[in-house]
Amino acid sequence: MASESGKRDASKPVDSREGRCPAVAQYGYYTVRGLEPGKLMKWCTCGLSKKQPWCDSAHKGTGFKSYKWRVPEKPQTMYSICGCKHTKNPPFCDGTHVNLPMEMEAKQAACPKKAEHPECCKMCTGCGWVPDF
């Protein structure tokens, strides 16, 4: 979500402009250590990746894209990387997951595409619903 200046509006979730709701990979953060300075990382924004918190291209066909983030040249020892995919400061956890379970439950219950969920093969981008695997 880049503005005309090319910078992302940090007050909005990663995907809010497109109106898509990511699946929640986990209600909490991933503790990540040992990142290589200067390395370009691709954070999963859809919640479907099997290599959380990083992207494995599972988003294909959903309209989501990975969020590219470069590890600082002087990296921290440890990072708290968002697992719920609803952070306003990607790829870092901002605590949004604390109140998210009830919000997601309500969003999925009110989803206008709810009747289509059983036939959905990947995810509902309207409410973040994914089939049970």
Side-chain angles (χ1 to χ4, degrees), residues 56-94:
D56 68 0
S57 297
H59 62 268
K60 297 229 187 265
T62 66
F64 285 92
K65 296 177 183 174
S66 62
Y67 180 84
K68 294 173 180 79
W69 170 70
R70 190 166 304 278
V71 179
E73 288 301 326
K74 292 184 178 183
Q76 296 174 192
T77 304
M78 177 185 81
Y79 292 93
S80 296
I81 304 295
C82 176
C84 75
K85 311 306 175 185
H86 290 262
T87 183
K88 291 174 181 64
N89 186 28
F92 308 106
C93 177
D94 66 1

Side-chain angles (χ1 to χ4, degrees), residues 14 28 31 35 40 53-54 64 69 75 79-80 87 90-91 112 119 129 133:
V14 174
T31 300
L35 295 178
L40 183 66
W54 312 119
F64 285 92
W69 170 70
Y79 292 93
S80 296
T87 183
E119 288 79 39
W129 177 88
F133 293 103

Side-chain angles (χ1 to χ4, degrees), residues 19-22 62 64 104 107-108 110-113 117 123-129:
R20 293 182 190 91
C21 180
T62 66
F64 285 92
M104 290 299 292
K107 190 172 212 160
Q108 290 173 4
C111 181
K113 297 179 183 177
H117 286 174
M123 73 180 294
C124 175
T125 59
C127 71
W129 177 88

Side-chain angles (χ1 to χ4, degrees), residues 95-129:
T96 298
H97 63 270
V98 173
N99 296 314
L100 198 56
M102 294 301 289
E103 291 174 28
M104 290 299 292
E105 189 175 292
K107 190 172 212 160
Q108 290 173 4
C111 181
K113 297 179 183 177
K114 188 175 179 178
E116 300 169 25
H117 286 174
E119 288 79 39
C120 178
C121 61
K122 209 168 212 182
M123 73 180 294
C124 175
T125 59
C127 71
W129 177 88

